[in-house]
Amino acid sequence: MGAEHICLIQSLICTCKLHDIDPNVYLTDVLQRVSQQSSQRGRRLNTKAKEIPVCR
């Protein structure tokens, strides 16, 4: 289970770097917003992530 979490975090960091986003800033922002939301609201945040345009 720990290895899966590490892979997930490494994937997020690599994706940030590919899109010229500072991973530290991104992860700090996401974790702060998620910690301030209820579990119901957290599900909506996850749904909205699918709406973010992808750089191609």
Side-chain angles (χ1 to χ4, degrees):
M1 186 158 205
E4 292 174 7
H5 291 137
I6 294 294
C7 289
L8 175 67
I9 292 169
Q10 288 177 335
S11 177
L12 286 170
I13 291 170
C14 289
T15 301
C16 286
K17 289 179 179 181
L18 285 171
H19 294 283
D20 294 324
I21 298 170
D22 182 347
N24 188 40
V25 173
Y26 173 78
L27 293 172
T28 300
D29 176 60
V30 169
L31 293 174
Q32 286 176 344
R33 287 191 290 138
V34 169
S35 70
Q36 296 170 355
Q37 306 299 321
S38 68
S39 62
Q40 180 76 294
R41 178 103 168 131
R43 286 189 206 113
R44 281 190 269 157
L45 284 172
N46 189 28
T47 303
K48 288 184 179 184
K50 295 176 186 175
E51 300 170 3
I52 297 172
V54 178
C55 298
R56 297 189 191 268

